[in-house]
Every structure is written in structure tokens, then in C-alpha cells.
Amino acid sequence: MATGGAPEGPRWEPATKVADEELKASGAALRSLSCASDLIVTSSSRPVVKVWQVAEASLSEARKLSILEGHGAVGSSCVEVSGPGDRQLVAVCYDDGGIGLWDLRSAGRVGELGASIPQALKAKFLPGGQRLVSGGPSGSLCFWDLRKGDRPEREVGALRSSLSMMKGEDRDPAVKRRRTETKAQHGGGSEGRGALGIDGGHAASPIFSLAVSADGSMLGCGRGSGAVSVMSLASQEWARDVSAHWNSGAKLASVRALAFDVDSRSLLSGGDDNHVCLFDAAAWVRRRSHNENRTAQPERFSAHKGWVTSLSVCPDPARRVCVTTSWDRTVKLWDFSTHALLHTYKDHTESVFDSAFSPDGGRFFATVGVDAQLVLYVAKHEVSRNGAAAKDEKNAFAQVKVKDGEA
């Protein structure tokens, strides 16, 4: 507890954890999760998505979303919950490449999206909950307007617009391709660290992670090549592409974790090089709109002893903190503005795959992993909330408290 009037530092404590016994019995993992104000949705390698109720310091299975119909015994790589509304939706990326839509509260199936590009690994709702973006192995993006049917409204190839940023010899795609291939071998270049044309280096590299800024202005893509790409959503044009993650020997490392800060300015990424990078993404978009090609180098720090598998930023505007998970079985809490490690959690017995904060100020966050455990961590500090979230919380969620002896 803070004393002498000093502000209380951010602190989350493990409140409880539950094992998905069905998965544990079959040796399957919990792969991903997404949070609503009072619910957590999890996916796995089995053909079922589960919804968990959060109340007090407990977690209980509330319902299941069976994906067997039309997809067989496939699992799901990603679940994503839209923002609060009359019909809060869940998007499920199936292992066979499809995307299913469900009503979160009623557990009713809403529809199916059939992409014409191979396999959707990741999907994100855009602000308003009526539009969706997905990406996968092709390196391209599909944009969907859920009010207009089950076909994508637009497919955007990897970094097509980046050629318009180039000046001088960079206007020649052949020259640019040779340069970017050379830079990729050495972990990227200076000035933008490998802004690519569509034919160069890792331009069509698979999309492993997606992030949408809170103000709806930017989309971030983490790629299998180690690149981080940023798009202006207003124009749906690429603003910048940077080779951010690489291992020793100049081997590029996949970017599995991506999140914007609550101010919609900075973009954070985590990769297979065990590092976290921090970029001024808003400056990329601003400079792109002014045809400027200068880019500040990203901040970079070592985060784990294994791959960084997820990164989640606390939605409380008073807290500049994020959570990372890793193949090394740990969950870590960071002050990302100073790169300071605030806490290391060791509640999982196997590798940790995903993390997510509650959207109403980060009153809790949760993690899942190979051990089929869902772990709940609750805030022990005062949480800031905007008006909309606070109003929604009164109707949906009782105050979370840690029960003695359950941590």
C-alpha cells in the first residue's frame, strides 16, 4: 500500500485459475482468449469455444460454442470479442480457414465468413463492431462489412502502397528488391529499417498478429518475417514496414504479439527473438501523409527467455503498462514507457500462449497456455474508467475481489 500521499503503483494479483478438464484429458492446449466486461472466451485445438463467467474471484464455465457443424473436428486459432453493444459478437478463426460469428450473450450462431485468401489466422473487430479485418498465411488482409453479407468488401495485398513512399533509386522495384533482401539478411536497414515494395524481402510474409488502435485510425500487422507493418485505416494504405525482430545470425523472427497503447500513438510488438519493440506508429502515418520517408528507430528490450507469444496493453489511461506471455512459461508485467519489469508471474506449468485485459479499465487480465489452464489476475490498485465502460460495468459485473487463500 502506498503511503505519504504517493500514487499507488499498478498491481495485479492471481485470483484463481481453472483447468479445462476436457482439454487436459486429451492433452490439448488453450490457444487464445478474449475478454468482455464479465466474460472470457477461450479457443483451443478442439472443436469447441468456451465462454467463462467472471464473478468475485471465481471463474465458471458458462456455455459452449460448438464449431463442429460445417467444420468437423477442427480447432480455432483465434477468438475476438467486439465492443459492448446491443449484440456483442464473437469472431472465431477456424483451423480450416473459415471465420464464424456468434452472439456472445445468447451463444447463437450469427453467420460464417468465407475468405478467398488462404486461412485466417487472426481477426480483429474495427471500432463500432460492424466491420472486421482478418489476415493469415497469404500476407494479405480481408476487410468485412458484417452488414453486407458474408463476402469480403476488400482484399488488400501486402504493402502495395509502400512503393509510393520511395524516392530516388527506390522508385525502381528491382533496385529496392535487391536492397531489401540484403537488409533482411542483416536484420533490416537504417532509415525505416526495410520499408518494402510488394516484391521485396518479406512483403508477402504471413500475418501472425493484428492490432487496431483505440481511435480506429491505424491497423498493425505482425509478420512471420519479423516485420511490423502499419496501415492508415482511413485510406487503407500502408504507412510503413519495419524489420523489427531477428535472432542472432540475422535470422528473422516471427512477430506473434502486437498491441497499440491506449492513446493510439505507440505500437508494441513481441517476437520469436524474445524481445519487445516500441514504435511511434502515429508518426509513421503522419509522415506518410506528408510524403516524408524519415522514421525513428524503434525502442527494443529483452523481455523473456523464450518466444514472446502475446502482448496486451492495459486500457487504463493512467497506467503505461503491458503484459507479455512467453514460451518460457512466464507472464510478465512491464512499464513499457521505461522498459521496467514490474512483476513476473509463474502460475502456468507449461508455455503460455495468450493474454487479454478486461476492456473496462483493466480491472482484470487473464492468460491461457499449453497446460489448459485459464488464470485470472485482478487489479489491487484504483482503476480509472471512462464513462461508457463504467456504465456498462454497473449493469454487467460485480466488483472483483481476491479471496484469501485462492491466489
Side-chain angles (χ1 to χ4, degrees), residues 81-374:
V81 177
S82 67
D86 293 336
R87 187 178 69 169
Q88 198 166 16
L89 297 179
V90 178
V92 181
C93 293
Y94 305 132
D95 285 352
D96 64 5
I99 302 174
L101 297 173
W102 303 76
D103 185 299
L104 176 61
R105 300 292 167 176
S106 71
R109 188 190 297 268
V110 175
E112 298 276 332
L113 304 179
S116 59
I117 60 175
Q119 194 175 358
L121 289 176
K122 295 293 181 181
K124 286 287 182 181
F125 284 99
L126 301 181
Q130 297 299 318
R131 298 179 69 237
L132 187 78
V133 59
S134 63
S138 72
S140 298
L141 296 169
C142 273
F143 286 89
W144 314 79
D145 188 331
L146 304 182
R147 299 161 295 188
K148 297 181 179 179
D150 60 356
R151 305 306 299 174
E153 60 176 339
R154 188 182 182 196
E155 293 180 14
V156 179
L159 301 167
R160 291 183 187 277
S161 67
S162 66
L163 289 175
S164 64
M165 297 192 302
M166 310 306 175
K167 296 182 179 181
E169 67 175 354
D170 286 346
R171 293 185 182 275
D172 182 344
V175 172
K176 185 61 187 174
R177 180 166 60 252
R178 289 194 298 271
R179 288 181 58 192
T180 53
E181 287 172 348
T182 300
K183 289 177 181 178
Q185 294 171 4
H186 295 86
S190 56
E191 190 183 354
R193 214 171 189 101
L196 302 182
I198 190 167
D199 295 323
H202 47 252
S205 179
I207 294 172
F208 278 27
S209 52
L210 290 171
V212 177
S213 61
D215 65 2
S217 66
M218 293 178 289
L219 172 70
C221 297
R223 299 186 180 273
S225 62
V228 173
S229 308
V230 174
M231 172 182 283
S232 167
L233 284 172
S235 63
Q236 290 190 0
E237 291 186 345
W238 297 107
R240 201 67 183 173
D241 175 69
V242 170
S243 294
H245 294 272
W246 59 91
N247 287 309
S248 58
K251 181 181 179 181
L252 296 174
S254 299
V255 183
R256 302 179 188 274
L258 207 62
F260 283 94
D261 71 350
V262 70
D263 298 323
S264 299
R265 175 177 177 178
S266 298
L267 178 62
L268 294 89
S269 65
D272 288 1
D273 59 354
N274 312 342
H275 280 66
V276 168
C277 290
L278 177 66
F279 315 85
D280 189 344
W284 289 2
V285 173
R286 184 172 61 252
R287 288 166 180 161
R288 170 70 177 89
S289 65
H290 292 87
N291 292 319
E292 298 178 15
N293 200 33
R294 295 176 300 161
T295 302
Q297 292 295 320
E299 300 175 28
R300 175 179 164 88
F301 61 93
S302 178
H304 286 273
K305 295 180 180 179
W307 295 353
V308 180
T309 52
S310 78
L311 189 154
S312 301
V313 171
C314 178
D316 185 345
R319 312 292 179 182
R320 302 283 290 176
V321 298
C322 70
V323 164
T324 58
T325 63
S326 174
W327 203 255
D328 67 9
R329 307 183 181 188
T330 66
V331 176
K332 293 187 178 183
L333 177 69
W334 302 88
D335 180 333
F336 61 81
S337 62
T338 63
H339 309 173
L341 176 62
L342 303 179
H343 195 78
T344 299
Y345 305 94
K346 298 181 179 180
D347 300 285
H348 286 274
T349 59
E350 299 290 344
S351 299
V352 193
F353 280 164
D354 204 7
S355 61
F357 276 97
S358 66
D360 46 1
R363 291 179 305 108
F364 66 84
F365 72 85
T367 58
V368 294
V370 174
D371 57 5
Q373 298 269 8
L374 171 60

